[in-house]
Amino acid sequence: NSTDAYIFAGRDNDEIAKFVTVKDRHTGQAYTVTDDGVIINEKLATLLGNVNIGDEITLSLSDTRRVSVKISEICENYAHHYIYITDELYRKLSGEEVPYNCYFFNCESGLSESEENTLASSLMKVDGVMGVSFKTGTESTFRTMLRSLLMVVVVLIVSAGVLAFIVLYNLTNININERIREIASLKVLGFYDKEVSMYVFRETVILTLLGTAAGMVLGRYLIDFVVRTAEIDMVMFGRTVHTESYILSAVITLIFAVIVMLFMHRRLKN
């Protein structure tokens, strides 16, 4: 597979680290850009056919020049694709100096939107400057994409909640209808309303807990599928599911189960 990516070069790791944090998404370990190979971002590795550390990729430095280079690490990144390389390795591979065509700046303090526009206008007046972009602009674009994904997530949550409610209601309703004589016999024998309800609902509680546990496992794969489907090639959405999400999904499911049981308890009393 092939795709476009930015070659991010610098004299050494310290120079590159002034502007970007190159680290592992899972462990948070910071990587060092060395002359032994290049570091590429995770989504780029996926687009290139799920390449791994130690594999070789081919860089098209121009229409006629192609070089092979080893992947030393795969790092975390969410917007655009980058290949981190040292000056020395680039020179060794291509036989030429790095054709720098971009300047990076770190602002000591955040700029307002008007200050960004003023600075951009000033820089655009400089000969040779073709464009100016700010990290805040990239962040804004990324947040817009996430808002679109949020609507998909909301639809899935609401649909799953309604489905859970319908399934629990139907299961309990069928259970009661098929055991109506058995339930009547229990009442005749002197069982209290709460005892009769729990006799029926105990199965519902067990099924709900088993379904919740299964949903925790299968849902982890489902969210990966949804996120990967919603992504476009230039970005990678977060893959982390926080503990709070598991807790909240279980609580919502249990709330639906309680609502169904309260509704059916009135029916059992009658």
Side-chain angles (χ1 to χ4, degrees):
N1 299 331
S2 63
T3 189
D4 293 328
Y6 294 105
I7 294 180
F8 197 114
R11 285 195 300 270
D12 51 37
N13 182 76
D14 292 337
E15 191 73 18
I16 294 175
K18 290 179 181 178
F19 303 101
V20 292
T21 302
V22 186
K23 65 183 180 69
D24 182 85
R25 177 168 65 90
H26 301 285
T27 64
Q29 176 189 354
Y31 292 140
T32 300
V33 187
T34 67
D35 298 336
D36 297 329
V38 298
I39 298 177
I40 67 174
N41 60 281
E42 189 174 341
K43 183 63 181 287
L44 178 59
T46 302
L47 293 175
L48 293 177
N50 293 314
V51 293
N52 294 308
I53 296 172
D55 292 343
E56 286 196 350
I57 57 175
T58 301
L59 305 183
S60 298
L61 303 179
S62 65
D63 293 336
T64 58
R65 183 180 294 278
R66 293 189 176 188
V67 296
S68 295
V69 62
K70 185 181 74 172
I71 300 172
S72 60
E73 301 289 355
I74 296 176
C75 69
E76 177 182 21
N77 188 72
Y78 297 96
H80 305 295
H81 306 306
Y82 293 93
I83 300 170
Y84 299 101
I85 188 173
T86 61
D87 280 3
E88 181 61 31
L89 181 57
Y90 187 95
R91 193 179 302 111
K92 179 181 176 181
L93 293 171
S94 66
E96 301 173 353
E97 295 295 326
V98 179
Y100 285 113
N101 58 2
C102 183
Y103 286 95
F104 276 72
F105 295 93
N106 278 330
C107 296
E108 292 183 357
S109 60
L111 300 177
S112 64
E113 186 175 351
S114 60
E115 289 173 329
E116 287 183 355
N117 293 333
T118 301
L119 178 57
S121 299
S122 301
L123 291 173
M124 287 297 293
K125 295 176 183 178
V126 178
D127 290 340
V129 176
M130 296 179 62
V132 179
S133 63
F134 293 90
K135 187 175 68 175
T136 50
T138 304
E139 183 180 352
S140 176
T141 302
F142 196 58
R143 289 186 181 276
T144 301
M145 293 179 183
L146 287 176
R147 280 196 292 270
S148 301
L149 179 63
L150 180 61
M151 293 306 299
V152 178
V153 174
V154 169
V155 169
L156 284 173
I157 291 174
V158 172
S159 302
V162 172
L163 180 62
F165 185 84
I166 293 173
V167 168
L168 287 170
Y169 178 84
N170 285 339
L171 283 175
T172 308
N173 193 41
I174 293 170
N175 192 11
I176 292 173
N177 287 334
E178 290 185 347
R179 302 167 65 182
I180 194 75
R181 290 180 177 81
E182 180 184 343
I183 294 169
S185 299
L186 290 173
K187 288 207 163 193
V188 170
L189 291 172
F191 280 75
Y192 293 107
D193 289 334
K194 290 183 179 179
E195 291 176 325
V196 174
S197 295
M198 285 311 301
Y199 178 75
V200 176
F201 294 154
R202 193 170 287 110
E203 296 175 13
T204 303
V205 172
I206 293 172
L207 286 172
T208 301
L209 293 176
L210 290 175
T212 301
M216 295 288 189
V217 178
L218 298 176
R220 187 66 186 85
Y221 295 99
L222 177 61
I223 190 63
D224 276 346
F225 170 77
V226 171
V227 168
R228 292 177 192 276
T229 303
E231 283 179 352
I232 59 176
D233 285 351
M234 67 174 286
V235 300
M236 184 182 87
F237 293 139
R239 303 280 194 267
T240 304
V241 180
H242 299 287
T243 305
E244 294 85 348
S245 298
Y246 287 106
I247 296 172
L248 190 59
S249 61
V251 169
I252 291 174
T253 305
L254 292 175
I255 289 174
F256 279 129
V258 170
I259 292 173
V260 170
M261 288 188 289
L262 289 174
F263 187 83
M264 287 300 181
H265 177 65
R266 296 181 60 185
R267 183 180 172 189
L268 286 171
K269 286 175 66 177
N270 296 328

